[in-house]
Amino acid sequence: MYTQGLDQKPDTEKQVDGTEQLVRFQARIDADEKIEPKDWMPDGYRKTLIRQISQHAHSEIVGMLPEGNWITRAPTLRRKAILLAKVQDEAGHGLYLYSATETLGVSRDQLTEQLLTGKAKYSSIFNYPTLSWADIGAIGWLVDGAAIMNQIPLCRCSYGPYARAMVRVCKEESFHQRQGFEIMLELSRGSDAQRRMAQDALNRWWWPSLMMFGPSDVDSKHSAQSMAWKIKRFSNDELRQKFVDVTVPQAEFLGLTMPDTDLDWNESRGHYDFGEIDWQEFYEVLKGNGPCNRERLAARQSAHDDGAWVRTAAVAYAQKQKRRCQAA
């Protein structure tokens, strides 16, 4: 239990104080109060937030790579400008989230080291390749659509800095989802080759998009506690089901076929039934055995090394400015 700031007392008295702190903390959570950086919080709450927010930040940064791959090959100037803006947004999201993580007492250097050494994970979806222009549409429509489903409830997260960061992130993600759907709409109304391209992208990105919500609730290690602390508001399976229910009618509007022979509307449930997810594939990707795992980390390591001179120059400039202020 996190006990920083408590008075030094005998062990039994410390335990009483810690228990009272924990009760008061949970009461604040239950009352939907926001927890702020200087507030007392249990170690488990702090660690859970660091893990979740840092993984979210890493995902935004690594997520720039598969789309950045198509900036120079976008079919029109308009599409190039939109994709540039989107990739720039993702970089900004990463920075917001790294800043939110730093309020929990971990440094940016530590976070970067955890990513580059493989200690920290990022979303499994970004370990798949973008093979055609339609993949950029599928990512916007499906991947960003799944992200929005996950992230809108985070605007009500119990931790203040994370909740506030997510407000802007979600607004920008909504733009990303719309531009992705627009690409898929144009392709689906285009030539036979373009329709086949759109269908192929849907076939390849559908199941990895469902995996984005994380393991099934029965297998999730963190979901129940995160919901009790109101870090999360819905379980993985609840969000996944909601995503399926929203996305299937959109695919029908596009005239595309979902790559799931078990997909069917269940009148009694009021939801779509869908097939079994290949969780073995999901866990293999998390272990680093996905199609692009090594490529993604190598790209991030290269960018980190190439940017060393910028970080050095920034530190030198800050130190120079500090000396000037002290001299004045």
Side-chain angles (χ1 to χ4, degrees):
M1 180 175 293
Y2 182 69
T3 56
Q4 182 177 337
L6 294 180
D7 295 334
Q8 297 297 317
K9 300 178 182 179
D11 289 347
T12 54
E13 199 168 349
K14 281 185 183 179
Q15 183 61 43
V16 171
D17 282 354
T19 302
E20 290 176 353
Q21 290 272 38
L22 191 57
V23 170
R24 288 197 293 269
F25 175 82
Q26 189 61 50
R28 293 187 63 194
I29 296 291
D30 295 340
D32 279 330
E33 293 184 24
K34 286 287 183 281
I35 306 301
E36 299 298 342
K38 292 185 178 181
D39 294 342
W40 183 93
M41 63 187 75
D43 273 347
Y45 181 82
R46 184 184 300 275
K47 290 176 181 177
T48 296
L49 283 169
I50 290 173
R51 175 185 56 79
Q52 179 170 325
I53 305 175
S54 65
Q55 287 182 4
H56 192 166
H58 298 327
S59 298
E60 298 284 357
I61 297 300
V62 176
M64 298 162 62
L65 297 173
E67 293 179 303
N69 184 43
W70 278 90
I71 289 175
T72 59
R73 295 181 286 165
T76 66
L77 181 59
R78 174 176 176 267
R79 290 297 180 192
K80 186 188 295 288
I82 292 171
L83 189 55
L84 276 167
K86 182 183 179 186
V87 172
Q88 178 178 277
D89 284 349
E90 307 294 2
H93 298 174
L95 295 179
Y96 307 153
L97 294 167
Y98 280 136
S99 295
T101 314
E102 286 178 307
T103 65
L104 293 159
V106 60
S107 71
R108 188 76 58 93
D109 288 341
Q110 288 175 294
L111 297 172
T112 302
E113 181 184 8
Q114 290 169 3
L115 171 63
L116 296 178
T117 59
K119 182 179 179 181
K121 304 297 183 182
Y122 55 89
S123 180
S124 59
I125 196 74
F126 298 120
N127 290 303
Y128 292 87
T130 45
L131 304 179
S132 74
W133 173 249
D135 287 24
I136 303 303
I139 288 175
W141 173 37
L142 299 176
V143 176
D144 293 322
I148 291 168
M149 201 67 69
N150 258 321
Q151 293 172 7
I152 286 178
L154 292 175
C155 295
R156 297 188 292 123
C157 172
S158 61
Y159 188 59
Y162 193 22
R164 289 188 288 272
M166 291 312 303
V167 173
R168 178 167 179 174
V169 170
C170 287
K171 289 180 180 179
E172 293 176 349
E173 291 289 2
S174 295
F175 153 73
H176 300 168
Q177 195 273 342
R178 287 195 295 273
Q179 66 85 32
F181 186 81
E182 184 191 11
I183 291 174
M184 298 298 282
L185 182 62
E186 288 197 9
L187 292 174
S188 67
R189 293 178 175 177
S191 66
D192 289 344
Q194 288 173 322
R195 287 194 292 273
R196 286 195 298 270
M197 185 190 299
Q199 183 64 60
D200 175 66
L202 171 58
N203 293 346
R204 287 183 289 104
W205 288 95
W206 174 246
W207 292 106
S209 296
L210 294 188
M211 296 176 194
M212 282 180 65
F213 295 94
S216 177
D217 293 342
V218 296
D219 298 320
S220 178
K221 298 178 181 178
H222 308 288
S223 188
Q225 183 60 75
S226 291
M227 289 179 67
W229 280 329
K230 295 188 180 180
I231 295 172
K232 292 175 60 174
R233 295 283 178 155
F234 300 97
S235 72
N236 296 347
D237 288 337
E238 286 176 312
L239 291 170
R240 189 171 10 252
Q241 181 67 68
K242 186 175 181 181
F243 175 71
V244 172
D245 292 345
V246 167
T247 309
V248 171
Q250 294 173 354
E252 292 174 351
F253 179 81
L254 293 172
L256 301 176
T257 302
M258 284 295 188
D260 182 358
T261 57
D262 295 324
L263 187 67
D264 190 39
W265 177 255
N266 188 321
E267 191 67 38
S268 62
R269 293 179 58 238
H271 297 287
Y272 282 96
D273 293 332
F274 55 95
E276 183 65 28
I277 296 171
D278 185 354
W279 290 114
Q280 182 177 354
E281 176 184 334
F282 172 75
Y283 286 114
E284 282 299 310
V285 173
L286 287 187
K287 290 177 184 176
N289 300 321
C292 299
N293 283 71
R294 294 170 182 81
E295 177 185 336
R296 299 290 185 245
L297 283 182
R300 288 308 310 150
Q301 183 68 64
S302 176
H304 185 70
D305 294 342
D306 291 346
W309 70 272
V310 178
R311 296 190 297 275
T312 300
V315 170
Y317 178 78
Q319 291 174 340
K320 182 178 179 180
Q321 291 299 103
K322 182 178 180 180
R323 288 194 295 270
R324 282 182 176 178
C325 291
Q326 290 173 340

